Amino acid sequence: MRDYQVKKNNRYALPRTLYRRVVHLVKDYDRLKDDYHDLLNSTPPALSETSSLKGSYISNPTERKALRLSLMGKDLEAVEQALILIPDEYRESIFDHIKYSTPYPDYAGISTYKRWKQLFLYHVAENLGLI
């Protein structure tokens, strides 16, 4: 299914590449959240496992883990904060439509869903500092 944004009379229209980037971040939300929790609960490898590395590379697994957690947390927080701005009756259906391409329910018009979806994606990009 094609996924595009309405550009006519839409003050929340994003540049094409930024729109795609934000859509794919939302589609990847579940995996990102699982990876975040797995990384949060993981332990760094033992010294014997890293001693086989050769070269002048100095490993700092704690720093790498902290950086990854920080970046993942920023992405997750951006999506979650933007989702709060969507009214409760549209929130789940818009989120599922972006992630799984499920059809919208019938209790509101398509244009209403598209308007809230565009606002949601705009705020995700804004929370990430991309606009």
Side-chain angles (χ1 to χ4, degrees), residues 11-64:
R11 65 180 210 184
Y12 297 111
L14 298 170
R16 183 185 210 184
T17 54
L18 179 58
Y19 178 79
R20 290 284 173 209
R21 182 177 176 182
V22 173
V23 166
H24 287 292
L25 172 66
V26 174
K27 284 184 179 199
D28 200 34
Y29 178 81
D30 290 335
R31 185 202 60 85
L32 191 62
K33 192 170 186 176
D34 290 341
D35 286 354
Y36 180 81
H37 289 295
D38 290 345
L39 187 61
L40 192 61
N41 297 322
S42 70
T43 57
L47 184 60
S48 62
E49 293 176 20
T50 59
S51 62
S52 64
L53 296 175
K54 296 185 171 111
S56 62
Y57 178 72
I58 298 173
S59 176
N60 192 344
T62 306
E63 180 184 20
R64 275 188 304 184

Side-chain angles (χ1 to χ4, degrees), residues 5 7 18 24 31-32 34 40 48 54 57 60 69 77 88 97 101-103 105 110 112 116 118 122 127:
Q5 63 180 332
K7 292 184 180 117
L18 179 58
H24 287 292
R31 185 202 60 85
L32 191 62
D34 290 341
L40 192 61
S48 62
K54 296 185 171 111
Y57 178 72
N60 192 344
L69 283 172
E77 185 71 22
D88 292 336
H97 178 74
S101 298
T102 57
I110 286 287
T112 303
W116 283 112
Q118 187 64 45
Y122 180 85
N127 291 343

